[in-house]
Amino acid sequence: MNRRSALKNLSMVLGTTALPSWAYQWNTQSFTAAQGPNTELLGAVVNAIIPETDSPGAKTIGAHLYIERMVKDCMSKEDQQAFQNGLQKLVSSALKNHQKAFQQLSSQDQINLLTGLQNSSMPEDNQFFKRIKGLTIASYTSSEYFLTQHRNYTIAPGFYHGCVPVQ
């Protein structure tokens, strides 16, 4: 087992336990209307990872907004720069291979580019894919939609009844 990889994964898991309060049961109203320069690109990426089917996709629930906020608020400057470099690599490979922006590609071409990053021999490409996929899944599974529609989440799951006969 690769110790360095295990330590990175452990730090990612432990890092998610210290998330800000807005990161739990969020919805699209949780974020301000200000969007960054990569909002459209991130929307296309998360839509390729969790597309819309009979249930809303990641872009529909606003996972790209969550990811932008996570990158801005929770990552170090070095990690933010690595994330931006990964996005730029994705843009440049889309332009090089298909002569189109990533957002304008067909869903199959988008998936092929992301799979290329996943299977890349360059560790920074592989790490970027793991990070974007992990953030997409984390944003989807912590969204208000997922928690209320698929997990039957309630804020107060039980009630205290003090006058109940005990048998």
Side-chain angles (χ1 to χ4, degrees):
M1 184 166 151
N2 188 348
R3 288 183 188 179
R4 185 172 294 167
S5 176
L7 286 174
K8 283 182 184 178
N9 292 336
L10 180 64
S11 65
M12 291 281 287
V13 168
L14 293 176
T16 58
T17 60
L19 294 176
S21 62
W22 57 260
Y24 298 106
Q25 194 183 358
W26 62 274
N27 57 28
T28 53
Q29 289 78 32
S30 302
F31 304 109
T32 60
Q35 296 179 352
N38 296 320
T39 302
E40 189 178 333
L41 175 61
L42 277 173
V45 172
V46 299
N47 196 47
I49 294 173
I50 302 178
E52 190 156 337
T53 56
D54 56 341
S55 62
K59 183 178 180 180
T60 305
I61 64 163
H64 57 298
L65 302 173
Y66 175 96
I67 292 172
E68 275 190 327
R69 182 106 182 244
M70 284 292 283
V71 169
K72 188 181 96 175
D73 290 354
C74 301
M75 288 187 183
S76 67
K77 294 292 182 194
E78 296 83 24
D79 289 341
Q80 289 178 14
Q81 187 60 45
F83 190 81
Q84 293 301 324
N85 292 344
L87 287 176
Q88 292 309 315
K89 171 88 178 200
L90 193 60
V91 167
S92 64
S93 63
L95 289 173
K96 179 180 149 191
N97 295 335
H98 301 284
Q99 293 75 40
K100 291 182 184 177
F102 184 84
Q103 303 89 309
Q104 298 169 342
L105 296 176
S106 69
S107 60
Q108 188 57 47
D109 289 337
Q110 290 176 345
I111 291 170
N112 290 341
L113 283 175
L114 291 171
T115 304
L117 287 177
Q118 179 184 13
N119 299 330
S120 175
S121 60
M122 298 177 66
E124 59 270 3
D125 292 348
N126 193 287
Q127 188 66 30
F128 169 74
F129 177 78
K130 285 180 183 176
R131 178 165 286 162
I132 192 83
K133 182 179 176 183
L135 284 171
T136 302
I137 293 170
S139 65
Y140 195 84
T141 57
S142 67
S143 69
E144 180 181 14
Y145 164 76
F146 183 82
L147 291 175
T148 57
Q149 299 300 316
H150 297 283
R151 291 287 187 172
N152 198 19
Y153 176 83
T154 56
I155 292 176
F159 299 98
Y160 175 70
H161 301 288
C163 296
V164 176
V166 179
Q167 296 183 8

